[in-house]
Amino acid sequence: MHAATPTDGGFTTIVERERGLKKTLSTAKLSMIAIGGAIGTGLFLGSGFAIGTAGPGVLISYTIGALIGLLLMGCLAEMTIAHPTTGSFGAYAEYYIGPLAGFLVRYAYWTCVVLAVGTEVTAVAVYMKHWFPGVAGWIWIVVFSGALIVVNAFSVSAFGAVEYWLSLIKITAIVAFIVLAACVISASSDSTVGFRNYTAYGGFLPRGVGGVWIAVIIAVFSYFSIEMIAVAAGEAARPEVAIRSAFRSTLVRLVLFYLLTLALMLAVIPWTQAGSTQSPFVLVMQASRLPAAGGAMNFVVLVAALSAMNSQLYITTRMMFSLSRAGHAPRSLGSLSRRGVPLNALLVSTFGIALATVITIISPAGAFLTMLGISAFGAMFTWMMIFVTHLFFRRVSAKVPGSFRMWGFPATTLLGAALMAALLITTAFTDAFRTTLVFGLPFLAVLMLLYYFRYRPAVRDSPTTI
């Protein structure tokens, strides 16, 4: 693979071929897009599975996940400020490593987010059973999916506005949850409530160090979507200002929300009560004994799933648009509507919803964990490749414009890449994520064959604009 050099005008060509999208996203909306994607099912439902895997030691798991997220954000901020474009880390891999790398990263990420959309909508079906236990889950999948597809099809401004308010509801609710949980802990005389729960049920590490490490996989998947800021930067009104602010505020909020809420949650309910069939947030609210508290929190986690799904539909649509403009997908998927929306790419990106619907019908009890396992590969592979791309980027970074530099390079970048590689290998030895590599490695092999036999000539001959 031959990577272009920053002096040959190559990246300008990438930016030009992706032109046409409306640059109307403000800094506030950019931040909310990332929060909308990252504060969703991973926190509200996946955290229950993580707690069941690691016990109170899950706090260590999410701290490690936050460290990886911090390193990733630093690498992405440096590259995105230098090259704000919709193809983002896929375009960076193409330019700094080679066309095959860009092809694999884009398709792995697109597939992951498509499947993550299915994870979110599967969770929606779980939440709706709180109120309507007799209604089939696939009905809710169809209803809510249709509404969000319409929002994404209208315009990027409409999407940004809806995502802003959905995310604001989530943030407000999480702050209220933190306050309420703290009050429950301080006022309760119940022996099952309090920080003694950290050690009362088998100790702080009831599943051992292995359980903590496996839960890091769930933590990383929970933080997954913070990289959406880099993709959305291609439609930001003032990219450099928006990226700096959004990266910083998003990471601080995510670490605060995840670690603080988990710490309080573990003190309110024993970790042995957590699971993947109901949100632990709902269990905590029920423990508060406030009227309708459980139903209110169930509404919040429903909004969270819809918000994350909304963000993910947006991002996966843009990634398919970038693939098409690169000559790696049908040309029609790179076309734009009069409002600047890639409608064809949006429709193709609803595949995860269809898959989730089928899985929910066939196996409603195991649908969420099934979707989580197969979508995890693309997330972890993409994060690992972002670190690898940053290493290549820094080889020529003196020639690349940009006012931000990743601290501690190359040690920090290498640490991030090594941790992600180790997590990928770990999935092969866990029951819940055994499908991750079983799906992911053959998928990569198929992508490589597809590239060499179908799209490799297109890299040289594809037009730069459509």
Side-chain angles (χ1 to χ4, degrees), residues 106 110 126 185 245 261 287 289 318 401 416 422 446 462:
R106 285 189 183 98
W110 177 82
V126 173
I185 294 168
S245 175
T261 52
R289 295 185 174 87
R318 268 56 184 181
V446 170
S462 62

Side-chain angles (χ1 to χ4, degrees), residues 216-228:
V216 175
I217 300 173
I218 307 165
V220 166
F221 189 82
S222 297
Y223 290 124
F224 177 64
S225 292
I226 56 176
E227 74 290 331
M228 287 183 177

Side-chain angles (χ1 to χ4, degrees), residues 176-188 195 264 268 284:
F177 173 87
I178 291 171
V179 173
L180 180 60
C183 290
V184 169
I185 294 168
S186 61
S188 178
F195 292 104
L264 293 172
V268 175
V284 169

Side-chain angles (χ1 to χ4, degrees), residues 78-79 82-83 96 389-397 400:
E78 181 176 349
M79 294 188 291
H83 304 301
Y96 288 101
T389 302
H390 186 252
L391 291 171
F392 281 80
F393 170 85
R394 268 299 188 96
R395 289 170 57 187
V396 291
S397 63
V400 179

Side-chain angles (χ1 to χ4, degrees), residues 42-65:
L43 175 61
F44 289 109
L45 188 59
S47 59
F49 179 52
I51 292 170
T53 301
V58 74
L59 294 174
I60 299 175
S61 305
Y62 274 81
T63 300
I64 296 173

